[in-house]
Amino acid sequence: MSSEVTTEGPQTTYKRVMLKISGEALMGDGQYGLNPPTVERIAQEVKSVHDMGVEICMVIGGGNIFRGLQGSAQGMERTTADYMGMLATVMNALAMQSALETIGVYTRVISAIPMDQVCEPYIRRRAVRHLEKARVCIFAAGTGNPYFTTDTAATLRASEMTCQAIFKGTKVDGIYDKDPELHDDAVRYDHVSYDEVLQKNLKVMDASAIALARDNSLPIIVFSLDEPGGFKGILAGEGTYTKVGG
C-alpha cells in the first residue's frame, strides 16, 4: 500500500493516522462534561483531514467525566475506578461520532469492552476494513484493562492498525522544556527522541505509551488542537509542532 495520498488540494505522505485527544479537550471553557460547540469544532478539524483522503483512527480520554486515577486517589478501589474511566471514554466517543456523522463523516465507535447496543466490539480485521472504507474509527474503553491509560491504548491501537503516526492534540503547539503557560522562557523542541522524553520526563504521554511507540518506530506529533486548521496544516507540511522519534 502506497503511503502517498492523491487528492485535490493539500497532499500528505500520511495514509493512516491516529488522533489522540484528552477528554478535557471536549470541555471548552467548562469545568466538566461536554461542550457541544467544542465537540463540533474538533469534528470539523477531523473532517478537513478526512477530506484529504487520510484514514483516521481516534482515541479520546475520559477525564472530563471521570478519571480513574483520581478516583483511586480519593479512596475508590483502583480497578473499579479505571473501569468507570473506560465507560467515560465511550460516552465521549459516542458524542464525537454524533458530531462527525452530522457533518457527513461515517464513523464507527469500537469498544474494548463489549456493549453491543451502543458500539462495536474490537475486532482488528473489522476495524481495518472500516478504515479502508473511509470510515473514522473511534477506539473507546482504553485497552479494556485497568492500570493502562488512554495514551497507551492509542499507541496500542495505532500499532495494530499500522498507523504511520500518532497526532497528540494538546493546548500548546508542541513539547517544551518547561510549562510555557508558567514560564516565558520555555523553549519548544522541534524534534526529540523517545529516550529524551523518558529521561527528561517531558510529560508527552506516559512511559509505557512512549516505550511502545519506540518499540514499533511510531512517531508522535504533538500539536495544538486549539489552533484552527492545525491538524490539516501539519498533515499538509505546515504549522508548528514537535515530533517525537521518527
Side-chain angles (χ1 to χ4, degrees), residues 8 41 51 61-62 73 77 80 83 97-98 102 111 114 131 136-137 140-141 144 176 180 221 225 227 230 240:
E8 294 183 7
R41 179 183 64 78
D51 289 346
E77 194 271 322
T80 299
Y83 279 120
Q97 178 186 42
S98 176
T102 296
S111 172
L131 291 170
V136 171
C137 287
Y176 287 77
I221 295 169
L225 196 65
E227 180 69 28
T240 305

Short mmCIF file of all heavy atoms in Angstrom, two decimals, residues 8 41 51 61-62 73 77 80 83 97-98 102 111 114 131 136-137 140-141 144 176 180 221 225 227 230 240:
data_model
loop_
_atom_site.label_atom_id
_atom_site.label_comp_id
_atom_site.label_asym_id
_atom_site.label_seq_id
_atom_site.Cartn_x
_atom_site.Cartn_y
_atom_site.Cartn_z
N GLU A 8 -7.49 16.14 -4.29
CA GLU A 8 -7.47 17.54 -4.66
C GLU A 8 -7.08 18.38 -3.45
O GLU A 8 -7.42 18.05 -2.32
CB GLU A 8 -8.84 17.96 -5.19
CG GLU A 8 -9.21 17.28 -6.50
CD GLU A 8 -10.54 17.78 -7.03
OE1 GLU A 8 -11.08 18.73 -6.45
OE2 GLU A 8 -11.02 17.21 -8.02
N ARG A 41 -16.44 21.67 16.71
CA ARG A 41 -15.23 22.27 16.12
C ARG A 41 -14.17 21.21 15.86
O ARG A 41 -13.55 21.18 14.79
CB ARG A 41 -14.68 23.36 17.05
CG ARG A 41 -13.40 24.02 16.51
CD ARG A 41 -12.83 25.02 17.47
NE ARG A 41 -12.39 24.43 18.72
CZ ARG A 41 -11.24 23.76 18.86
NH1 ARG A 41 -10.42 23.59 17.83
NH2 ARG A 41 -10.90 23.26 20.03
N ASP A 51 -11.18 14.63 4.48
CA ASP A 51 -11.41 15.05 3.09
C ASP A 51 -10.14 15.04 2.25
O ASP A 51 -10.21 15.08 1.01
CB ASP A 51 -12.02 16.46 3.06
CG ASP A 51 -13.47 16.49 3.55
OD1 ASP A 51 -14.08 15.41 3.66
OD2 ASP A 51 -13.97 17.60 3.83
N GLY A 61 -9.75 10.55 25.61
CA GLY A 61 -9.72 10.26 27.03
C GLY A 61 -11.08 10.48 27.68
O GLY A 61 -12.04 10.88 27.03
N GLY A 62 -11.16 10.25 28.97
CA GLY A 62 -12.43 10.40 29.68
C GLY A 62 -12.36 11.35 30.86
O GLY A 62 -13.29 11.40 31.68
N ALA A 73 -7.25 7.79 43.96
CA ALA A 73 -6.57 8.63 44.95
C ALA A 73 -7.52 9.06 46.05
O ALA A 73 -7.09 9.35 47.18
CB ALA A 73 -5.94 9.83 44.28
N GLU A 77 -11.52 1.84 44.98
CA GLU A 77 -10.69 0.72 44.55
C GLU A 77 -10.23 0.95 43.10
O GLU A 77 -11.04 1.29 42.24
CB GLU A 77 -11.49 -0.58 44.67
CG GLU A 77 -10.65 -1.84 44.58
CD GLU A 77 -10.51 -2.32 43.15
OE1 GLU A 77 -11.50 -2.22 42.40
OE2 GLU A 77 -9.41 -2.79 42.79
N THR A 80 -11.99 -0.72 39.91
CA THR A 80 -13.33 -0.18 39.69
C THR A 80 -13.26 1.23 39.12
O THR A 80 -13.97 1.57 38.17
CB THR A 80 -14.12 -0.16 41.01
OG1 THR A 80 -14.24 -1.50 41.49
CG2 THR A 80 -15.50 0.44 40.81
N TYR A 83 -12.30 1.13 35.42
CA TYR A 83 -13.42 0.72 34.56
C TYR A 83 -14.42 1.86 34.38
O TYR A 83 -14.97 2.06 33.30
CB TYR A 83 -14.11 -0.53 35.11
CG TYR A 83 -13.38 -1.81 34.75
CD1 TYR A 83 -12.89 -2.66 35.72
CD2 TYR A 83 -13.20 -2.16 33.41
CE1 TYR A 83 -12.21 -3.82 35.39
CE2 TYR A 83 -12.53 -3.33 33.06
CZ TYR A 83 -12.04 -4.16 34.04
OH TYR A 83 -11.36 -5.31 33.70
N GLN A 97 -18.78 10.72 17.58
CA GLN A 97 -19.41 10.03 16.45
C GLN A 97 -20.64 10.81 15.96
O GLN A 97 -20.81 11.03 14.75
CB GLN A 97 -19.84 8.63 16.85
CG GLN A 97 -20.56 7.86 15.74
CD GLN A 97 -21.11 6.53 16.21
OE1 GLN A 97 -21.68 6.43 17.30
NE2 GLN A 97 -20.92 5.49 15.42
N SER A 98 -21.46 11.25 16.89
CA SER A 98 -22.65 12.02 16.52
C SER A 98 -22.27 13.30 15.78
O SER A 98 -22.87 13.64 14.75
CB SER A 98 -23.46 12.35 17.77
OG SER A 98 -24.58 13.16 17.45
N THR A 102 -23.08 14.00 11.77
CA THR A 102 -23.92 15.16 11.46
C THR A 102 -23.35 15.95 10.27
O THR A 102 -24.10 16.54 9.49
CB THR A 102 -24.05 16.08 12.69
OG1 THR A 102 -24.74 15.37 13.72
CG2 THR A 102 -24.83 17.34 12.36
N SER A 111 -15.40 -0.50 20.87
CA SER A 111 -15.09 -0.56 22.30
C SER A 111 -14.32 -1.82 22.67
O SER A 111 -14.63 -2.92 22.19
CB SER A 111 -16.38 -0.50 23.11
OG SER A 111 -16.12 -0.72 24.48
N PRO A 114 -17.14 -5.06 25.47
CA PRO A 114 -18.33 -5.28 24.64
C PRO A 114 -19.56 -4.60 25.22
O PRO A 114 -19.87 -4.75 26.40
CB PRO A 114 -18.48 -6.81 24.65
CG PRO A 114 -17.11 -7.34 24.95
CD PRO A 114 -16.50 -6.34 25.88
N LEU A 131 -11.63 1.30 8.14
CA LEU A 131 -10.71 2.35 7.70
C LEU A 131 -10.56 2.33 6.18
O LEU A 131 -10.55 3.38 5.54
CB LEU A 131 -9.34 2.15 8.37
CG LEU A 131 -9.30 2.40 9.88
CD1 LEU A 131 -7.95 1.95 10.44
CD2 LEU A 131 -9.53 3.87 10.20
N VAL A 136 -14.18 6.83 9.84
CA VAL A 136 -13.37 7.16 11.01
C VAL A 136 -13.65 6.13 12.10
O VAL A 136 -14.81 5.83 12.38
CB VAL A 136 -13.69 8.58 11.52
CG1 VAL A 136 -13.01 8.85 12.86
CG2 VAL A 136 -13.28 9.62 10.49
N CYS A 137 -12.61 5.59 12.70
CA CYS A 137 -12.76 4.61 13.77
C CYS A 137 -12.35 5.25 15.10
O CYS A 137 -11.19 5.66 15.25
CB CYS A 137 -11.91 3.37 13.52
SG CYS A 137 -12.55 2.31 12.20
N ALA A 140 -12.70 3.12 21.84
CA ALA A 140 -13.14 3.52 23.18
C ALA A 140 -12.83 2.43 24.20
O ALA A 140 -12.46 1.30 23.85
CB ALA A 140 -14.63 3.82 23.16
N ALA A 141 -12.97 2.81 25.48
CA ALA A 141 -12.77 1.90 26.62
C ALA A 141 -11.32 1.47 26.78
O ALA A 141 -11.04 0.38 27.28
CB ALA A 141 -13.70 0.69 26.54
N GLY A 144 -9.26 -2.00 27.55
CA GLY A 144 -10.17 -2.97 28.17
C GLY A 144 -9.64 -3.50 29.48
O GLY A 144 -10.27 -4.34 30.11
N TYR A 176 7.63 21.45 25.30
CA TYR A 176 8.55 22.47 25.82
C TYR A 176 9.39 21.89 26.96
O TYR A 176 9.01 20.89 27.58
CB TYR A 176 7.76 23.67 26.33
CG TYR A 176 7.17 24.53 25.23
CD1 TYR A 176 6.03 24.12 24.54
CD2 TYR A 176 7.75 25.74 24.89
CE1 TYR A 176 5.49 24.91 23.53
CE2 TYR A 176 7.21 26.54 23.89
CZ TYR A 176 6.08 26.12 23.22
OH TYR A 176 5.55 26.90 22.21
N PRO A 180 5.03 26.23 29.26
CA PRO A 180 5.07 27.56 28.63
C PRO A 180 4.01 28.51 29.19
O PRO A 180 4.11 29.73 29.00
CB PRO A 180 4.81 27.26 27.15
CG PRO A 180 4.08 25.96 27.15
CD PRO A 180 4.61 25.18 28.31
N ILE A 221 3.44 13.10 17.00
CA ILE A 221 3.47 14.51 16.62
C ILE A 221 2.56 15.27 17.58
O ILE A 221 1.34 15.03 17.62
CB ILE A 221 3.05 14.70 15.16
CG1 ILE A 221 4.09 14.04 14.24
CG2 ILE A 221 2.89 16.18 14.82
CD1 ILE A 221 3.69 13.91 12.81
N LEU A 225 -4.37 21.58 19.45
CA LEU A 225 -5.71 21.31 18.94
C LEU A 225 -6.57 22.58 18.93
O LEU A 225 -7.61 22.63 18.29
CB LEU A 225 -6.38 20.24 19.81
CG LEU A 225 -7.61 19.53 19.26
CD1 LEU A 225 -7.25 18.72 18.01
CD2 LEU A 225 -8.23 18.63 20.31
N GLU A 227 -5.58 25.42 17.73
CA GLU A 227 -5.23 26.22 16.56
C GLU A 227 -6.13 25.84 15.39
O GLU A 227 -6.06 24.70 14.89
CB GLU A 227 -3.77 25.99 16.17
CG GLU A 227 -3.28 26.78 14.97
CD GLU A 227 -3.17 28.26 15.25
OE1 GLU A 227 -2.96 28.64 16.41
OE2 GLU A 227 -3.31 29.05 14.30
N GLY A 230 -5.12 23.48 12.43
CA GLY A 230 -3.79 22.99 12.78
C GLY A 230 -3.55 21.55 12.38
O GLY A 230 -2.49 21.20 11.87
N THR A 240 3.19 24.48 13.34
CA THR A 240 4.19 24.32 14.40
C THR A 240 3.86 23.09 15.23
O THR A 240 2.69 22.92 15.63
CB THR A 240 4.21 25.57 15.30
OG1 THR A 240 4.44 26.72 14.48
CG2 THR A 240 5.31 25.45 16.34
#
